[in-house]
Amino acid sequence: MTNDFHECEDDDARPRQGAGGGDDARGGDGAGQVEAHGGGGEHPDRDPVEESERGDAGKDRGDDGGEVEKLHDALIEQLLAQQSKLLVSAAADAFRVPEPIPPVDWLERHVAEIPFSPLPGAFRCANSPMLREIIEAICSPSVRTVSIIAAVQTGKTLAAELSAAYVVANEPGPILWLTAKDDDAKTEGESRLLPLFEHCRPVSDIFPADPDKKRLTSVFFSNGATLWIRGANNRRNLQSRTIRWLFGDECWLWPPGRLTEAKSRVAAYGRRGKCVFFSQGSREGDDCDRQFRAGTRREWTFVCPRCGERQPFLWENIHWDAEAKTPEGAYDFARLRASVRLRCPHCGEEFPNGAATRAALAAHGAFARTNHAAAAENESFHWNALATTDWGQLAEEYLRAKA
């Protein structure tokens, strides 16, 4: 490693006047001249007082020169010490070891608030239990690709955003966050990602002091992490970028072939590169669908407290009172909502609609792998609206859509 500062030369190594052949020769000539004027040690035309003053002045200059040299050496020593501190600090940031706690625990410790969440206060995974396995997969060094397909407003984007906060602070590197369009990128940065980072102390502490390095769609953190938020619709946003972390939002809306092109941006990082895709749905056979199906296809499930059977949330197991109608034959949606329940297909146990019921089932929820042929490094997750949304609301939306 080259040092920008060259070592100062040792004074003892410098050629000194009066030492060596050159000064000896001049000394010989001087001695001959003195002898030629009568053999005395003084020049006949020089005033002894003037010579004495000149000698004192020379001595003073020599003393001043010594002080200047000492000051110079002290300044160099101070600069080297400052440079050393900067290098040590940079090395500490570059080789920072993540806190020795699981990512979800780290997030619960450091995310003081999720500004855009309807739930006030610090992040608590118990409010969205399915996020734990997803965040662990995103942050796992053994997983290279994570694909998520889930219902609208059920936490899939939040899982990626929380993971990004952990990554910035603990696994710094180039990060590319792709939305469907450039306008969506600005919205994501302004209303979600940056406000979340502001409420996570380890991330907010490394925001750059220079405002030009902190913009809505690009942030250059002081620990070496770089975040770009861009639209996948613009191919130029992918060109000339080497990325370690790729986050792709609503990739079912991307132009055909753009997902594969985006994945190639992490190739330079080898097994350290990571791709995360999350979407509310896709069309059968499109890039988003193929990416999900190539993964482990883990489905969110619950355990029936009566028979102990683990099972997914299926629409076919939602029931309501078919007689909940008005005298004119139209659905009475108030009565219908009150009658909606989930029935276990194994034992017939019925669970009434309500937030308390969903919370109780989620407390023992887990993802069950359905594609055992997929490589373990290629994870994919799915859950539907029944896991998080009021069943009566969904039943009404279903029946109104059919009418």
Side-chain angles (χ1 to χ4, degrees), residues 291-312:
Q291 178 63 48
F292 172 80
R293 292 185 178 280
T296 53
R297 299 205 295 267
R298 297 184 184 273
E299 185 73 25
W300 182 247
T301 63
F302 69 95
V303 174
C304 174
R306 179 181 178 184
C307 67
E309 286 290 332
R310 182 168 292 281
Q311 55 195 283

Side-chain angles (χ1 to χ4, degrees), residues 90-210:
D93 287 337
F95 298 99
R96 185 185 303 276
V97 177
E99 288 189 40
I101 58 175
V104 171
D105 295 348
W106 185 92
L107 291 164
E108 289 186 329
R109 174 183 297 180
H110 295 299
V111 177
E113 185 179 352
I114 302 174
F116 45 84
S117 172
L119 299 176
F123 166 65
R124 293 293 176 262
C125 197
N127 295 328
S128 302
M130 69 278 293
L131 300 190
R132 180 176 295 275
E133 291 185 59
I134 295 172
I135 293 172
E136 289 175 350
I138 292 174
C139 300
S140 170
S142 63
V143 176
R144 295 202 63 194
T145 305
V146 176
S147 180
I148 307 164
I149 292 184
V152 179
Q153 297 292 310
T154 59
K156 62 184 182 301
T157 304
L158 178 60
E161 291 163 336
L162 290 167
S163 300
Y166 177 86
V167 164
V168 167
N170 296 280
E171 297 284 350
I175 304 166
L176 178 60
W177 186 287
L178 288 177
T179 60
K181 298 179 180 179
D182 282 328
D183 289 343
D184 300 330
K186 294 178 181 178
T187 301
E188 174 66 29
E190 182 176 22
S191 65
R192 294 183 66 96
L193 264 183
L194 296 191
L196 174 64
F197 290 174
E198 292 283 3
H199 288 81
C200 181
R201 183 65 179 272
V203 179
S204 63
D205 281 351
I206 57 176
F207 270 131
D210 185 348

Side-chain angles (χ1 to χ4, degrees), residues 307-387:
C307 67
E309 286 290 332
R310 182 168 292 281
Q311 55 195 283
F313 288 88
L314 299 177
W315 182 248
E316 63 197 49
N317 295 329
I318 296 294
H319 300 271
W320 55 83
D321 186 356
E323 302 304 318
K325 296 184 178 181
T326 65
E328 293 77 21
Y331 278 107
D332 182 338
F333 287 109
R335 289 175 53 199
L336 183 141
R337 283 189 177 219
S339 70
V340 172
R341 66 269 185 195
L342 172 67
R343 180 182 299 160
C344 174
H346 303 284
C347 67
E349 180 75 1
E350 291 190 343
F351 307 97
N353 179 37
T357 298
R358 290 191 298 277
L361 297 178
H364 301 285
F367 282 101
R369 181 171 178 169
T370 63
N371 182 12
H372 296 278
E377 67 177 21
N378 191 8
E379 292 277 19
S380 57
F381 300 87
H382 173 260
W383 65 92
N384 59 44
L386 292 174

Side-chain angles (χ1 to χ4, degrees), residues 378-399:
N378 191 8
E379 292 277 19
S380 57
F381 300 87
H382 173 260
W383 65 92
N384 59 44
L386 292 174
T388 60
T389 309
D390 183 274
W391 302 334
Q393 173 188 332
L394 295 175
E396 180 174 347
E397 291 176 357
Y398 170 75
L399 291 171

